Amino acid sequence: MKQQFFRISLVFCTSIISITSITYCLQPALDQSAVKRTSSDELKRALDTYAPGLITSAEFPDAPFTLAIGEKRLPCDRSLLEKLYNLLVNTNQYRDQVAQVRRLDTTLPLCTGEQEFLAKRDAHCQQRLEQLLGHPVPRTPRIAICLSGGGYRAAICSAAFLDTFDKIGFLDAAQYISSLSGSTWAVAPWLINQNCPFHNFYGEFLQRLHNNIFQKSAPEQLEDVAHSLSIVTETFLRKLAFDEVPSLIDFYGMLLALSLFSQEERHNFFSIDLSSQIAVCKDGNMPLPLYTANDVHKKLSTVVEFSPFEVSVPDWGIAIPSWSLGRKFNAGVSQNTPPTLTLGYLMGIWGSALSLSCKDLFDFTLDKLEPKVLFEPIKQLLYETVIGDLRVMPARVRNMTCKMDNVPYPKKQLLTVVDQGLTYNLPFLPLVNPSRAIDVIIVLDVSGNVNTGDELRKAEADMRAHCVLFPPIDYTNVATNICSVFDAGPHSKAPVVIYLPLTKNDNYSQSYDPWALLQVGSPLNTLNFIYSSSDITNVCGLIEQSVMESYQTIISTIETVVQRKANQA
């Protein structure tokens, strides 16, 4: 354990040093009171020679152009830097396209891309369901998989869940997979690969989880760190050129990519973004992924949905093309063309539990200690002052609703986007969109407090708050039952929810109890990123056993829904 801790510390410190070094390299230009100047004529001649037509003469003032200026900041207008970056570095296929904010009405209509996807995927799922059920399916039910968060535990359990579903045919019958936090780390890397069945991806993915950057040999770690330097350099070049805000999430997302991407994907880090999954899903051969995060403003949290086609905030009634997230917007129209946000960076945002507020940190740690009276003054300080809302370097992205009418924050330049699991740990909200018309939601809950059912309670409360159709939940033995079904009845349009929690299963092992391994310092704890082969084998075996035992329940529930839809026709 000491050796592993030393390696983790080495990787972390080396990477922090690399980031700091780049910052200090830039700092002299920012700190010097003298101004480095280049005449506009000289710049124009150089650009006319090497990039004819890139910049018109109207964009050059008569006064000398300021490249680097004192007062510890660069000029606000960085249009030249942006254009040079786009010329020399940016290979983004969308850089010549202008993005516009799409307004959503109360029905939350789907974009054209998702509608076309569903038309193809419904036909694909119909064929698969007819094979599973052994008879024609006149009206195809829409089935969604809902995966909880929970760090590497969630990634491993989600992978085992999807692999088992793939083998028994359910994955091919699902239109959607909704995930948050750690479960996104299993879904997103899989859907980089076109037409790759999950069972082909599964074994390699578990190897990546086991041999992540924290567990590699010292030479391998140094190789990864050396490769990361180029990623860090280009990341900060982008931040500099487009006046963006760097954060710890840039570094965190890079580490996730170095751990969970293949070697080829790591070398293509900057060309792999969310929109690249459109090519994987558009033909309807794969389910459509829906990822979630939260925008936080003071004490308010709002769910942000990410699909390969769009990023949307349903509560605000807006959506933008996924490739335009991170651009400056003014009154609903994009104003610049930075490269798309990388998938690694988004995985960092989706799983950014490290961006806890001081209040969240207290709730997860000190509030569980005794005697509580000892920590009461700290609790009062955090809950009654703005200190409690402070966060540890969260991700900040451009506000796409800047200067728009009828939106909550038209004056905000940046949105603070964090892990949705910090609010509640089950991504139901994208799946109850009435336009998606989902009939069955199959849930895997591996939350750290799954034994209490609290995340399901909080999710249900939020569904009620949003006034969406959702079945009543009976919490009797919900955490200990291998599989529970919640159904509002044949006359309700609410989806049927099939719920599988992480729980002890004597048919798998009478001694293996996952709840006992969720505590701090235990193998299945959310903060643990180092899993042994036996840890992975045990929890994956448990999930596989529970899914196989639930097979008949899931099949009969889908059969019931199929019959209901046929009767409604």
Side-chain angles (χ1 to χ4, degrees):
M1 287 299 292
K2 287 184 179 179
Q3 187 178 16
Q4 288 176 335
F5 178 79
F6 174 76
R7 287 180 177 176
I8 294 172
S9 301
L10 176 64
V11 173
F12 182 81
C13 292
T14 305
S15 302
I16 287 294
I17 288 170
S18 67
I19 294 174
T20 307
S21 299
I22 292 171
T23 305
Y24 274 98
C25 287
L26 295 172
Q27 197 62 39
L30 304 179
D31 286 341
Q32 290 172 359
S33 58
V35 175
K36 178 181 178 181
R37 296 178 183 272
T38 305
S39 73
S40 58
D41 288 341
E42 290 173 343
L43 276 173
K44 189 174 186 306
R45 281 197 299 271
L47 289 169
D48 282 343
T49 301
Y50 297 104
L54 176 69
I55 297 178
T56 65
S57 58
E59 293 176 277
F60 282 89
D62 293 334
F65 175 77
T66 301
L67 184 61
I69 193 166
E71 299 179 357
K72 298 189 178 182
R73 67 182 183 88
L74 289 174
C76 293
D77 183 5
R78 302 191 190 174
S79 57
L80 177 61
L81 287 177
E82 291 184 14
K83 289 178 178 179
L84 286 174
Y85 184 97
N86 282 330
L87 173 71
L88 302 174
V89 181
N90 189 4
T91 57
N92 173 19
Q93 62 176 315
Y94 302 104
R95 66 180 181 178
D96 296 325
Q97 296 188 30
V98 175
Q100 294 188 334
V101 175
R102 184 170 73 93
R103 289 280 193 174
L104 310 177
D105 60 31
T106 55
T107 63
L108 302 178
L110 305 179
C111 66
T112 302
E114 187 170 342
Q115 292 177 33
E116 293 173 350
F117 157 80
L118 278 174
K120 297 174 182 177
R121 184 65 182 176
D122 283 346
H124 183 95
C125 292
Q126 181 182 28
Q127 293 180 359
R128 191 58 176 145
L129 281 176
E130 289 177 345
Q131 294 173 359
L132 286 169
L133 300 176
H135 62 75
V137 176
R139 296 185 65 198
T140 308
R142 287 189 178 161
I143 300 171
I145 295 168
C146 179
L147 304 171
S148 81
Y152 260 30
R153 176 186 68 251
I156 293 168
C157 292
S158 296
F161 188 81
L162 294 173
D163 178 62
T164 312
F165 261 44
D166 192 22
K167 289 175 179 175
I168 61 181
F170 288 153
L171 187 56
D172 225 19
Q175 281 85 348
Y176 291 98
I177 300 177
S178 182
S179 59
L180 62 78
S181 194
S183 60
T184 68
W185 302 343
V187 178
W190 167 46
L191 291 174
I192 294 173
N193 305 283
Q194 195 160 3
N195 297 323
C196 174
F198 197 90
H199 63 266
N200 289 349
F201 170 77
Y202 180 58
E204 181 185 348
F205 180 69
L206 292 186
Q207 279 297 115
R208 296 178 197 173
L209 284 164
H210 174 57
N211 298 324
N212 65 60
I213 190 170
F214 300 121
Q215 301 206 109
K216 292 181 178 178
S217 65
E220 289 174 320
Q221 287 178 348
L222 290 174
E223 181 182 352
D224 279 344
V225 169
H227 178 58
S228 73
L229 287 175
S230 64
I231 295 177
V232 170
T233 302
E234 184 166 339
T235 297
F236 273 78
L237 178 60
R238 170 199 165 121
K239 300 291 183 182
L240 177 68
F242 294 94
D243 195 20
E244 296 177 347
V245 181
S247 76
L248 190 60
I249 303 304
D250 291 285
F251 173 69
Y252 182 50
M254 179 193 69
L255 285 183
L256 287 172
L258 289 175
S259 296
L260 302 179
F261 286 6
S262 69
Q263 184 175 1
E264 180 182 356
E265 291 159 0
R266 292 198 297 271
H267 286 287
N268 294 324
F269 178 84
F270 287 101
S271 63
I272 298 174
D273 57 30
L274 183 56
S275 66
S276 63
Q277 295 187 348
I278 292 175
V280 178
C281 301
K282 68 178 182 179
D283 293 334
N285 295 323
M286 297 282 198
L288 187 71
L290 302 172
Y291 312 99
T292 64
N294 269 0
D295 168 69
V296 293
H297 178 72
K298 296 181 179 179
K299 297 183 179 180
L300 299 176
S301 293
T302 307
V303 173
V304 182
E305 298 179 11
F306 301 75
S307 86
F309 298 105
E310 284 191 320
V311 175
S312 63
V313 188
D315 285 357
W316 299 352
I318 63 97
I320 59 172
S322 63
W323 45 263
S324 67
L325 181 65
R327 291 187 176 189
K328 292 179 183 177
F329 278 80
N330 188 323
V333 180
S334 65
Q335 303 297 306
N336 66 344
T337 56
T340 54
L341 299 180
T342 65
L343 188 63
Y345 179 66
L346 292 178
M347 287 166 61
I349 291 178
W350 299 330
S352 59
L354 54 84
S355 294
L356 289 167
S357 68
C358 295
K359 187 167 58 180
D360 293 331
L361 191 60
F362 178 88
D363 291 339
F364 279 106
T365 55
L366 298 182
D367 196 40
K368 303 183 186 304
L369 301 178
E370 299 289 346
K372 292 188 181 295
V373 66
L374 184 64
F375 304 101
E376 190 61 29
I378 300 176
K379 184 174 184 178
Q380 290 179 0
L381 176 69
L382 298 179
Y383 273 77
E384 296 175 9
T385 71
V386 295
I387 295 175
D389 296 322
L390 297 177
R391 295 184 180 273
V392 182
M393 296 188 71
R396 301 187 192 277
V397 298
R398 300 280 183 188
N399 179 12
M400 67 288 285
T401 66
C402 187
K403 298 184 181 180
M404 287 182 64
D405 296 328
N406 302 316
V407 293
Y409 311 117
K411 295 182 180 180
K412 284 183 65 175
Q413 296 293 320
L414 299 171
L415 302 177
T416 301
V417 189
V418 301
D419 191 328
Q420 197 215 319
L422 299 176
T423 306
Y424 63 88
N425 208 31
L426 291 167
F428 277 115
L429 201 56
L431 304 178
V432 293
N433 179 339
S435 294
R436 292 192 171 116
I438 292 173
D439 300 290
V440 180
I441 301 175
I442 306 173
V443 183
L444 175 68
D445 187 356
V446 297
S447 303
N449 57 351
V450 64
N451 58 314
T452 66
D454 282 352
E455 299 307 318
L456 184 57
R457 284 186 173 87
K458 288 187 282 188
E460 183 189 13
D462 193 49
M463 300 306 103
R464 307 295 179 215
H466 279 85
C467 300
V468 295
L469 295 172
F470 200 73
I473 306 296
D474 180 3
Y475 291 94
T476 306
N477 300 323
V478 72
T480 54
N481 290 339
I482 301 300
C483 180
S484 301
V485 178
F486 307 111
D487 187 352
H491 303 296
S492 173
K493 292 184 179 180
V496 178
V497 173
I498 304 173
Y499 179 79
L500 286 77
L502 178 67
T503 190
K504 189 173 184 291
N505 187 335
D506 288 340
N507 293 329
Y508 174 68
S509 170
Q510 294 186 353
S511 60
Y512 185 73
D513 183 1
W515 293 0
L517 303 176
L518 292 171
Q519 307 306 313
V520 175
S522 298
L524 297 185
N525 184 260
T526 303
L527 300 179
N528 179 36
F529 284 77
I530 298 176
Y531 276 72
S532 67
S533 296
S534 61
D535 293 333
I536 294 174
T537 299
N538 286 333
V539 74
C540 286
L542 175 64
I543 295 297
E544 292 164 9
Q545 177 70 29
S546 296
V547 171
M548 294 307 297
E549 288 185 21
S550 305
Y551 176 86
Q552 197 57 50
T553 300
I554 296 172
I555 278 287
S556 61
T557 301
I558 293 174
E559 179 72 81
T560 299
V561 172
V562 167
Q563 294 302 320
R564 285 180 187 172
K565 291 181 74 69
N567 294 336
Q568 289 169 2

